[in-house]
Amino acid sequence: MRHRGLFILLYFLAGALMMYSQELVAPRDTVLPVNGDTITQAATDSTVLVSDSTKNNKVGLDAPVVYQAKDSMVMTAGNWAYLYGESDVKYQQIGLQAENIEMSLDSSLVFAKFGLDSIGEEFGYPLFKDGDQEYESKTMRYNFNTKKGYITDVITQQGEGFVTAGRTKKMDDDVLNMVGGKYTTCDEHDHPHFYIQMTKAKVRPKKNIVTGPVYMVIEDVPLYPIGLPFCFFPFSSTYSSGVIMPTYTDDSQRGFGLRDGGYYFALSDYIDLAVTGEIYTKGSWGLQAQSSYKKRYLFSGNFNAAYQVSRYGDKGLDDYSLSKDFRLNWTHSQDPKANPYRTFSASVNFATSSFDRNSAMGIYNPNTTNNTKGSSINITQRFPNNPLTLSATMNVNQSSKDSMISVTLPDLTITLSRIFPFKRKNPVGKERWYEKISMSYSGYFKNSITTKENQLFKSNIIKDWKNSMDHSIPVSATFTAFKYINISPSFNYKESWYTSKITKQFDPHLNTLVNRDTTYGFYRIYNYSASLSASTTLYGFYKPLPFLGDKVEMIRHRFEPSVSISAAPDFGGSIFGFYDHYQYIDANGDPIDYVYSPFAHNGSIPSGKQGSLNFSLDNNVEMKIKSDKDTTGFKKISLIDKLSLGMSYNMAADSFKWSDLSVGLRLKFSKSYTLNLNGQFDTYTYGADKNGKPIRLDIPRWKAGKGIGRLRSTGTSFSYTFNNDTFKKWFGGKTDSNIPEENAGDGELENLTAENADGENADAEGTQEGGRLRGKKKDTGEYDSDGYLVSKIPWSLSFNYSMQLRYGDFDPNRLEYKYKLTHALSFNGNIQPTKNWSFNFNATYDVENKKISFMTCNITRNLHCFQMSASIVPVGAYKSYTFSVAVSSSLLKDLKYNQSSSVRSGQDWY
């Protein structure tokens, strides 16, 4: 009985909708022409104005009818006009174009049809225009007075899709009543790849389509079981509010429910709002508000807030739980033109730790596996003609794994750009030495806390929050000595203000130091350092001997040595009072003198005397040769683009004062490839203990007669891309004219994604004749000068190889480390064998195990109005596949088929 009642309800709903359709017959006042005497008149591009000149002609039209024909016009004694060859009839805003048109001059009737060429092909289909609406058909009868018409095989575009019908009656209110209509987003109008078959339909242009029973047809195969009693297709070209239909869902824990349903508010031209909700039979519910806003030249952003209540289990039982969660997402960006001195930006991603887990779609949400979230809001103020800049930031970082949250509010930065305080406003004569002294300032105020989410608003601003203010004042200058040596002294002063310090004591039960007391107040910590550097540039030139040839004009060597010294006192000493000493007896009865900083919980405090001497050498070698290709007659070739060496000596250290020797080499082999090598050389020797384990000795290698240093580690990488033009460039051929010469073959391949089949790339798909919906499309193939089709197959193959040489196992016999070489090889490629097929892959090769460790392959096929894609992981631990076929149009995005394998269930499918 329940099924019978549902069937009766659907039957009456369909019948009620069909009552809107009217009987599809030709207009009653349509009169067929009667043969009579004809008068032939040459009318090439001629125009005739028809007006009511006799008392018997009661046409009743409000404006004259203008008609013309390119070939000829024939008028009969019965006031019938026959137009041949690109005929055109216009009345007010109504226009009719066709190859053949028959028109009654008395009754305001017009009949249009297509023409036939010498081989019987149809052309010149009737095109009816009423304002901005267009209808194309094979035949059409229309009455200018009643504004009604009868159309066969009509085609009209509505929204993203097309509506076709065998028999259509146009009403005076522009409504189209159809029988046997089709709705599709495929632009193959005569034979679409898929369509929705409508038994009866009423089309309100640019508003909606209401149908009777419908069913799906794919490649001429009707899918009757998927039929519906009626359909409603809304269209809107304006910005308006409306209802958002919910989606039915079934959740094993929440029960049956409706989600993502609500209302969309078109608030203004600059902002909108969508309010949606979800509700389930077991008590869970949620609300969500989404808004986007944008004002040109000022700002743009979007806002998303959600609140959800999740109930699990049965109330009163042990498995019952109630969770209340919320989420806030907000992004805001200011246009640079809005204010040149003030900027404001926001990126907020805040949610309770259990929000993603309790979300209805949480299992499919990638944020569920994301354990961290970050939010920030920043405002920066600059001042005109002033070096001062103020910047305030709020930062929030969350960890959903343990529900920890870190908040910094505010994070204030004050910056004073570099100024010259001793420079004269009205200088006279040479610049004084003190005028070269420059200074800057940066201040950083931070107020932060790290706690649990549920304790954040219960925390004390003084006891639980950490407060600090850091100041930095660097002072520097640059002088020239002996005309060629640049000397740069510098001094850097730093100071920190804290509001608390923590003293410690020894706990014999825990056998360690623990916090004893926290004292609140104002505490000032500072440190400073000074440095002095000297550098110069030397050039060396070498003219090759004549017997070596006259091709090389000159070889130049640029040599840039520099040396610097830096020093800082020991701020851990008792004279400064920044560190405390605590003496205690440990568990073994030994006296321990422990040194600690009571301000360590606020930040790091430098300790230990500092004094280092740094050396660096930079080299560059270039060669100048004769060249006919250059306008100057010469060409520069880089032999060694850069060779740098650096080393330091720590004068304040007790041992191991020399650092490793750092070496960098850069060689330019071509415009597209540069080799970079960076290495570290060990400067000390090694010994071995009784177990053969290495012991680093405080003996430099040059004192042991082992040279300056031994290579500790180095590495490099190499990558290259082959494509259509690579071999042409190698062997002097011409590259593709569509690719710029400087970019051809350098590793970049244009996007190979199949083009949109719904007309977004009309030029690529081929423009239809005269902009018509009917008719053959132009051939989009490219032909050479001899008329042969040019077939292009874009392809690309890239690979990347990296190598690293470093210390491995220790050799106790040679007292040296053995070397270990590691490799990494990856490659990827793509090819577009045809216009609609595209294939790409990427893989990683495990050099040690000599096998491919991971590979992904993607295949896409443009099926005109459908898009097919497949992704395959054929090797490795994540063997799987996905397959999808979907309609390309966003209007029918729910018409899709997806199939995939499970990574966990084993991949024996291939």
Side-chain angles (χ1 to χ4, degrees):
M1 294 297 294
R2 181 182 302 175
H3 294 87
R4 181 181 300 175
L6 179 62
F7 176 80
I8 295 174
L9 177 61
L10 293 176
Y11 178 82
F12 279 105
L13 284 174
L17 288 171
M18 293 179 189
M19 291 178 65
Y20 283 98
S21 301
Q22 299 185 21
E23 185 179 1
L24 301 179
V25 296
R28 295 180 181 179
D29 48 3
T30 301
V31 180
L32 299 178
V34 180
N35 295 331
D37 298 334
T38 61
I39 302 175
T40 304
Q41 176 182 355
T44 303
D45 292 334
S46 60
T47 302
V48 178
L49 299 179
V50 179
S51 60
D52 192 3
S53 58
T54 63
K55 294 182 180 181
N56 295 330
N57 294 339
K58 298 180 180 181
V59 179
L61 298 180
D62 299 329
V65 178
V66 180
Y67 55 92
Q68 62 182 4
K70 186 175 182 180
D71 184 12
S72 62
M73 288 190 300
V74 177
M75 293 187 177
T76 65
N79 276 344
W80 276 88
Y82 298 87
L83 285 67
Y84 301 99
E86 298 183 14
S87 306
D88 188 3
V89 177
K90 293 181 180 178
Y91 171 70
Q92 294 182 344
Q93 65 176 2
I94 299 174
L96 180 61
Q97 301 173 8
E99 182 64 19
N100 300 317
I101 296 180
E102 302 174 8
M103 184 173 59
S104 173
L105 302 180
D106 293 332
S107 59
S108 66
L109 296 178
V110 63
F111 172 74
K113 64 178 181 179
F114 57 87
L116 296 175
D117 59 13
S118 58
I119 61 174
E121 292 289 339
E122 299 176 355
F123 71 98
Y125 294 101
L127 177 63
F128 180 83
K129 297 181 180 180
D130 188 358
D132 56 354
Q133 286 294 310
E134 293 186 357
Y135 312 101
E136 192 167 355
S137 62
K138 286 191 175 183
T139 63
M140 176 178 292
R141 298 182 185 272
Y142 186 75
N143 190 317
F144 286 116
N145 190 18
T146 63
K147 296 183 179 180
K148 296 181 179 181
Y150 183 77
I151 312 170
T152 63
D153 297 321
V154 67
I155 298 178
T156 178
Q157 183 171 1
Q158 300 296 327
E160 297 183 28
F162 302 91
V163 178
T164 65
R167 292 184 298 152
T168 304
K169 184 175 182 180
K170 180 187 178 303
M171 309 306 296
D172 54 356
D173 55 357
D174 291 335
V175 173
L176 301 178
N177 295 324
M178 298 181 173
V179 170
K182 303 175 183 178
Y183 182 80
T184 180
T185 57
C186 179
D187 60 356
E188 293 286 350
H189 312 294
D190 295 332
H191 192 215
H193 295 93
F194 84 99
Y195 56 89
I196 298 175
Q197 181 68 57
M198 305 178 294
T199 55
K200 290 185 179 181
K202 174 178 284 189
V203 179
R204 300 172 64 196
K206 291 190 174 182
K207 293 183 179 180
N208 53 56
I209 300 176
V210 180
T211 77
V214 299
Y215 57 90
M216 191 79 174
V217 179
I218 299 179
E219 291 293 352
D220 298 331
V221 179
L223 307 179
Y224 294 114
I226 313 181
L228 295 173
F230 64 91
C231 269
F232 179 78
F233 298 93
F235 306 110
S236 177
S237 58
T238 60
Y239 179 57
S240 60
S241 303
V243 177
I244 303 175
M245 296 301 295
T247 301
Y248 171 78
T249 183
D250 182 7
D251 192 293
S252 60
Q253 295 181 319
R254 295 176 174 85
F256 301 102
L258 297 174
R259 61 179 178 87
D260 299 334
Y263 198 83
Y264 176 81
F265 298 90
L267 301 179
S268 69
D269 292 338
Y270 311 107
I271 184 171
D272 66 353
L273 175 65
V275 179
T276 58
E278 56 184 355
I279 188 169
Y280 299 87
T281 55
K282 292 187 178 181
S284 298
W285 61 275
L287 288 174
Q288 183 175 2
Q290 302 179 67
S291 177
S292 298
Y293 57 90
K294 182 176 182 179
K295 196 163 187 180
R296 186 176 296 180
Y297 308 126
L298 290 179
F299 53 78
S300 63
N302 56 75
F303 178 85
N304 189 335
Y307 178 80
Q308 64 183 19
V309 176
S310 303
R311 299 177 185 269
Y312 300 107
D314 297 326
K315 194 171 183 179
L317 299 180
D318 295 337
D319 62 346
Y320 177 78
S321 65
L322 174 64
S323 177
K324 299 180 180 180
D325 301 287
F326 72 94
R327 180 192 64 197
L328 176 63
N329 291 338
W330 178 38
T331 60
H332 178 91
S333 61
Q334 176 181 306
D335 194 294
K337 304 180 186 65
N339 192 323
Y341 301 108
R342 183 185 301 114
T343 59
F344 178 78
S345 63
S347 177
V348 177
N349 182 16
F350 183 85
T352 54
S353 58
S354 58
F355 181 90
D356 292 327
R357 294 195 301 269
N358 292 328
S359 176
M361 299 299 292
I363 190 173
Y364 307 106
N365 190 350
N367 293 327
T368 305
T369 59
N370 187 7
N371 290 325
T372 60
K373 292 184 177 67
S375 304
S376 66
I377 300 176
N378 175 266
I379 182 171
T380 302
Q381 176 67 52
R382 292 176 290 272
F383 302 91
N385 303 321
N386 195 313
L388 186 65
T389 302
L390 301 178
S391 179
T393 305
M394 182 195 76
N395 293 305
V396 179
N397 295 308
Q398 295 177 262
S399 175
S400 57
K401 181 178 181 181
D402 51 7
S403 69
M404 294 295 295
I405 183 172
S406 298
V407 180
T408 303
L409 178 66
D411 196 339
L412 180 64
T413 303
I414 305 174
T415 305
L416 181 68
S417 58
R418 190 172 67 161
I419 61 173
F420 295 84
F422 305 111
K423 181 163 287 193
R424 294 169 291 174
K425 293 184 178 179
N426 301 309
V428 177
K430 294 183 178 180
E431 187 180 25
R432 313 290 172 81
W433 66 270
Y434 54 83
E435 292 183 302
K436 298 180 179 180
I437 298 175
S438 65
M439 65 172 295
S440 61
Y441 167 80
S442 62
Y444 180 56
F445 175 74
K446 183 179 181 180
N447 183 42
S448 62
I449 187 175
T450 300
T451 183
K452 294 284 187 178
E453 288 180 2
N454 55 358
Q455 298 296 324
L456 176 61
F457 297 103
K458 300 178 182 179
S459 58
N460 188 286
I461 191 66
I462 297 177
K463 296 183 178 181
D464 299 326
W465 289 70
K466 297 179 182 179
N467 321 104
S468 65
M469 181 70 183
D470 299 328
H471 309 267
S472 177
I473 305 177
V475 181
S476 63
T478 301
F479 307 100
T480 302
F482 307 108
K483 295 184 180 181
Y484 303 109
I485 301 177
N486 296 321
I487 299 177
S488 301
S490 64
F491 177 81
N492 192 10
Y493 178 82
K494 294 182 179 180
E495 184 171 310
S496 300
W497 298 342
Y498 302 134
T499 58
S500 63
K501 72 174 183 178
I502 299 176
T503 56
K504 297 184 178 183
Q505 68 179 10
F506 180 74
D507 188 341
H509 299 286
L510 300 177
N511 194 26
T512 186
L513 286 178
V514 295
N515 297 338
R516 182 186 65 183
D517 188 22
T518 302
T519 306
Y520 300 96
F522 177 78
Y523 303 96
R524 171 175 166 265
I525 309 298
Y526 63 88
N527 65 85
Y528 50 82
S529 62
S531 64
L532 178 66
S533 64
S535 63
T536 187
T537 302
L538 304 175
Y539 292 92
F541 297 91
Y542 173 71
K543 177 71 174 179
L545 297 177
F547 66 87
L548 296 178
D550 59 351
K551 186 74 172 178
V552 180
E553 181 70 17
M554 188 68 67
I555 296 177
R556 189 190 72 171
H557 176 208
R558 188 176 73 232
F559 180 65
E560 299 179 0
S562 65
V563 60
S564 65
I565 183 172
S566 61
D570 183 9
F571 292 97
S574 57
I575 187 173
F576 294 101
F578 301 152
Y579 282 80
D580 284 351
H581 294 257
Y582 188 84
Q583 295 181 349
Y584 64 95
I585 306 299
D586 64 5
N588 300 324
D590 298 328
I592 302 296
D593 186 10
Y594 184 78
V595 180
Y596 71 96
S597 172
F599 309 101
H601 64 288
N602 292 312
S604 60
I605 308 300
S607 63
K609 185 185 296 185
Q610 300 179 22
S612 61
L613 187 63
N614 303 296
F615 308 91
S616 66
L617 301 174
D618 286 344
N619 299 268
N620 175 270
V621 180
E622 292 181 330
M623 181 171 62
K624 188 177 183 181
I625 63 174
K626 295 180 180 180
S627 175
D628 298 333
K629 296 182 180 180
D630 198 288
T631 57
T632 62
F634 296 96
K635 180 181 179 181
K636 290 182 180 180
I637 297 177
S638 175
L639 300 179
I640 301 177
D641 191 60
K642 185 177 181 180
L643 175 61
S644 61
L645 299 93
M647 197 173 181
S648 65
Y649 179 78
N650 190 353
M651 299 176 293
D654 296 332
S655 60
F656 299 103
K657 296 184 177 183
W658 291 99
S659 68
D660 287 349
L661 174 63
S662 300
V663 179
L665 177 64
R666 184 172 66 226
L667 301 175
K668 285 188 176 180
F669 290 105
S670 66
K671 291 183 179 180
S672 59
Y673 178 68
T674 299
L675 176 65
N676 288 281
L677 286 173
N678 295 291
Q680 299 289 329
F681 287 82
D682 196 351
T683 55
Y684 283 92
T685 57
Y686 291 86
D689 59 10
K690 60 181 180 180
N691 296 322
K693 295 183 178 180
I695 300 176
R696 196 181 188 197
L697 304 178
D698 190 14
I699 302 175
R701 297 187 69 88
W702 54 85
K703 289 186 178 181
K706 296 184 177 181
I708 298 178
R710 186 170 185 262
L711 183 62
R712 179 195 296 272
S713 64
T714 186
T716 186
S717 62
F718 175 81
S719 62
Y720 197 79
T721 297
F722 299 91
N723 60 20
N724 299 68
D725 296 319
T726 302
F727 300 103
K728 296 179 183 178
K729 291 186 64 177
W730 286 2
F731 301 105
K734 294 183 179 180
T735 59
D736 193 339
S737 59
N738 294 330
I739 302 176
E741 184 68 21
E742 61 271 14
N743 295 333
D746 61 356
E748 296 295 333
L749 186 65
E750 295 181 357
N751 187 10
L752 300 181
T753 305
E755 296 167 276
N756 192 304
D758 290 323
E760 294 181 4
N761 296 289
D763 294 338
E765 291 291 339
T767 306
Q768 296 177 358
E769 297 179 358
R772 296 291 191 93
L773 298 178
R774 287 188 179 275
K776 296 182 179 179
K777 297 181 179 181
K778 294 182 179 179
D779 194 348
T780 59
E782 182 180 350
Y783 297 86
D784 59 15
S785 57
D786 297 326
Y788 292 98
L789 180 66
V790 178
S791 178
K792 294 181 180 179
I793 303 178
W795 62 273
S796 171
L797 177 62
S798 304
F799 69 92
N800 180 279
Y801 171 77
S802 62
M803 178 272 296
Q804 185 179 20
L805 182 68
R806 55 186 175 85
Y807 276 173
D809 297 331
F810 184 74
D811 187 353
N813 298 323
R814 297 177 57 247
L815 299 179
E816 297 285 3
Y817 278 96
K818 299 178 182 178
Y819 286 114
K820 182 179 181 181
L821 182 65
T822 57
H823 313 263
L825 177 63
S826 62
F827 48 93
N828 63 79
N830 47 45
I831 186 172
Q832 189 175 359
T834 64
K835 180 181 178 181
N836 297 320
W837 278 102
S838 179
F839 172 78
N840 67 80
F841 73 95
N842 64 79
T844 302
Y845 183 76
D846 190 341
V847 180
E848 294 184 1
N849 297 321
K850 298 181 180 180
K851 66 177 183 179
I852 296 177
S853 59
F854 183 77
M855 173 181 282
T856 60
C857 303
N858 300 297
I859 304 173
T860 60
R861 174 69 166 96
N862 183 5
L863 299 172
H864 191 249
C865 49
F866 279 86
Q867 189 78 15
M868 182 187 73
S869 62
S871 298
I872 306 170
V873 182
V875 297
Y878 300 97
K879 295 178 183 178
S880 60
Y881 76 92
T882 61
F883 178 78
S884 174
V885 178
V887 176
S888 302
S889 173
S890 60
L891 182 66
L892 302 176
K893 61 182 179 180
D894 292 331
L895 293 179
K896 60 185 177 180
Y897 172 77
N898 296 324
Q899 181 66 36
S900 62
S901 67
S902 174
V903 177
R904 300 179 181 178
S905 60
Q907 290 72 38
D908 297 330
W909 51 270
Y910 64 93

